[in-house]
Amino acid sequence: MDYFLMFISAIFVNNILLAQYLGNCPYLGCSKEKGVSIGMGFAVVFVAVMATAFTFIIQKYILVPYDLGYLQTIVFILVIAGLVQFVEMFLKRMVPPLYKSLGIFLPLITTNCAVLGIAILVQRKEYDFATAVFYSFAAGMGFMLALVLMAGIRERLAIARVPKAFEGTAIGLVMAGLMSLAFFAFKGMIA
Amino acid sequence: MAGIVKEFTKGLWAEIPPFRLVLGLCPTLAVTKTASDGFGMGMAVIFVLALSNLIISAVRKIIPKKVRIACFITIAASLVVTVEMLMQAFTYPLYQSLGIFVPLIVVNCVILGRAEAFAAKNPVHLAVADGLGMGVGFTMSLTFLGAVREIFGAGSLFGHHVMWAGFEPFQFMVEAPGAFVCLGVILGAMNFLTAWQNRRKKAAGQNACLACAACALAPAAEEQQS
């Protein structure tokens, strides 16, 4: 039951994108088409779960015992960069169809702050391993939901008449604000 | 010397990072609840950006092309760790209120973007000027956005009360939705202003006004952008 609550909370109440402001660059950059946004969303879920698992183990068995906590940032980002590279090579060789659909998004994920953000967040919240991995999955799903919804809205927005100055990113941000407001309504759901 | 001034000033208006280049949006949205948070974040970014541009530009000929991104990230990450420790030592309240966004400076697209687009191709003095300019521009944007949100959301500025006595704080502005809408409206206003400036410049050009300094600078800025 706790896991279920956490899942709902990470997707709707504390959405990683709309309530915690992580991963805005792909949110505005990769949300022009629905297909692209789904690909990006899956890539983020996949890498976020892997990265959280790996960084959790490194933090627990290497950084903490040897008192190297201050190296957290540099180690985490290198692990994520390495992991992304590895996943890319693995998929290319073993699962070509998946590589074809995710391939172009993988390099972008290294600098997606959602992935590093989730890895650091679970450390700060002091979750145990299973909870941390589950949280990363739920947060990734929340990211995907926001991204796909936004892509749907932007497809309609492309044919709408928008004031000249607001075309492109500006109206995208205002839209994001309205979506964030809608998600804000879930705040009361979990006390 | 003229080159240094040009690289520095382009970050202040023509290519001001969050508004023009639309880079580094996460901290722009997240840490601008108050003007002082935005200012503090900007300061940290100036430090990292100027030094990372300096180092990357200094070693740009040694770094192999294929692993350059990894090198840039490592350099930026070491600087971010330095900033993190300095902030813990000297400005602990600020460190706490910025929270997770201090380590996340590593993945701020402004840093990697400038490294890739500028520092890896230009000599050290220009790269530092570019880093400082971009950093100052980033700080200005964050402080401005933070000031707007703080004035309407809490009725204060840098912690001092500025609104009249009966002012009801506008809660929307300090919450997440307000951040998005506020940034969107500012972007729209900047676009509008640029369009208006261009129109006026065109009109001025027809009157053969070549004395205005903006006209002389504009082609150079456009060239940079393309």
Side-chain angles (χ1 to χ4, degrees):
Chain A
M1 197 58 203
D2 272 353
Y3 280 103
F4 178 71
L5 260 182
M6 189 179 196
F7 193 67
I8 298 292
S9 148
I11 289 183
F12 293 109
V13 186
N14 291 315
N15 189 292
I16 192 100
L17 228 162
L18 297 170
Q20 305 195 46
Y21 324 91
L22 291 170
N24 274 293
C25 299
Y27 181 52
L28 292 164
C30 288
S31 63
K32 299 237 163 69
E33 276 174 60
K34 245 179 273 170
V36 174
S37 69
I38 292 173
M40 184 71 185
F42 271 116
V44 167
V45 174
F46 189 58
V47 177
V49 171
M50 299 266 289
T52 309
F54 271 90
T55 52
F56 193 93
I57 293 167
I58 290 176
Q59 171 86 13
K60 190 157 184 204
Y61 294 105
I62 298 178
L63 294 186
V64 174
Y66 294 101
D67 208 12
L68 294 170
Y70 61 92
L71 284 178
Q72 194 190 51
T73 311
I74 191 164
V75 170
F76 278 23
I77 189 72
L78 288 179
V79 167
I80 290 171
L83 197 66
V84 167
Q85 192 78 50
F86 181 75
V87 167
E88 200 183 341
M89 284 181 337
F90 179 81
L91 287 183
K92 198 173 185 176
R93 200 150 164 71
M94 297 306 195
V95 206
L98 193 61
Y99 175 75
K100 254 192 193 146
S101 52
L102 295 186
I104 43 170
F105 306 112
L106 284 172
L108 289 174
I109 289 178
T110 312
T111 53
N112 182 342
C113 37
V115 175
L116 181 62
I118 292 170
I120 296 177
L121 263 182
V122 297
Q123 295 299 340
R124 298 222 167 159
K125 288 187 179 170
E126 295 177 349
Y127 288 148
D128 60 53
F129 184 74
T131 321
V133 172
F134 188 77
Y135 176 80
S136 68
F137 173 72
M141 292 304 277
F143 180 85
M144 189 161 102
L145 177 73
L147 198 66
V148 173
L149 283 179
M150 184 67 173
I153 294 173
R154 280 188 110 172
E155 278 181 1
R156 298 296 295 266
L157 212 59
I159 51 168
R161 287 179 57 192
V162 177
K164 193 109 190 79
F166 274 89
E167 274 172 9
T169 320
I171 195 73
L173 276 164
V174 175
M175 270 321 307
L178 296 179
M179 258 174 78
S180 170
L181 198 61
F183 274 71
F184 202 61
F186 290 113
K187 269 256 151 95
M189 211 163 71
I190 294 168
Chain B
M1 194 59 212
I4 295 177
V5 173
K6 203 188 90 192
E7 299 307 341
F8 181 75
T9 48
K10 77 166 190 268
L12 303 186
W13 177 256
E15 295 183 27
I16 191 163
F19 298 151
R20 286 295 152 111
L21 303 177
V22 203
L23 288 176
L25 286 180
C26 304
T28 311
L29 292 163
V31 299
T32 51
K33 265 188 191 149
T34 63
S36 45
D37 277 4
F39 183 73
M41 185 70 188
M43 281 296 157
V45 169
I46 291 183
F47 179 84
V48 176
L49 192 53
L51 282 180
S52 78
N53 264 11
L54 174 99
I55 298 172
I56 288 165
S57 168
V59 297
R60 70 184 189 279
K61 288 187 181 128
I62 311 169
I63 297 177
K65 249 219 146 65
K66 277 187 181 156
V67 293
R68 66 184 192 288
I69 302 289
C71 294
F72 296 165
I73 290 181
T74 318
I75 292 168
S78 334
L79 289 165
V80 169
V81 171
T82 319
V83 167
E84 237 178 305
M85 291 163 106
L86 285 173
M87 282 175 96
Q88 275 173 355
F90 296 110
T91 57
Y92 194 65
L94 180 69
Y95 175 79
Q96 287 217 304
S97 76
L98 296 184
I100 182 177
F101 287 92
V102 181
L104 284 184
I105 297 174
V106 170
V107 281
N108 188 330
C109 336
V110 173
I111 314 253
L112 266 185
R114 292 326 290 170
E116 171 79 4
F118 198 89
K121 294 174 194 147
N122 289 284
V124 175
H125 60 287
L126 291 183
V128 174
D130 174 79
L132 281 176
M134 287 286 162
V136 172
F138 192 75
T139 310
M140 284 183 351
S141 324
L142 255 65
T143 315
F144 177 67
L145 187 60
V148 172
R149 287 180 66 194
E150 196 183 345
I151 288 173
F152 290 106
S156 57
L157 182 61
F158 285 105
H160 300 292
H161 211 72
V162 289
M163 294 305 253
W164 60 91
F167 176 73
E168 272 298 322
F170 189 23
Q171 195 63 39
F172 174 74
M173 294 299 270
V174 287
E175 298 288 356
F180 285 107
V181 172
C182 206
L183 185 61
V185 170
I186 292 179
L187 269 177
M190 295 259 314
N191 287 343
F192 182 76
L193 209 67
T194 318
W196 180 74
Q197 260 184 341
N198 286 345
R199 261 207 310 279
R200 217 180 54 160
K201 216 186 298 167
K202 227 178 248 167
Q206 279 160 0
N207 297 338
C209 154
L210 295 173
C212 100
C215 305
L217 282 173
E222 272 161 26
E223 206 176 60
Q224 268 292 330
Q225 253 167 355
S226 63

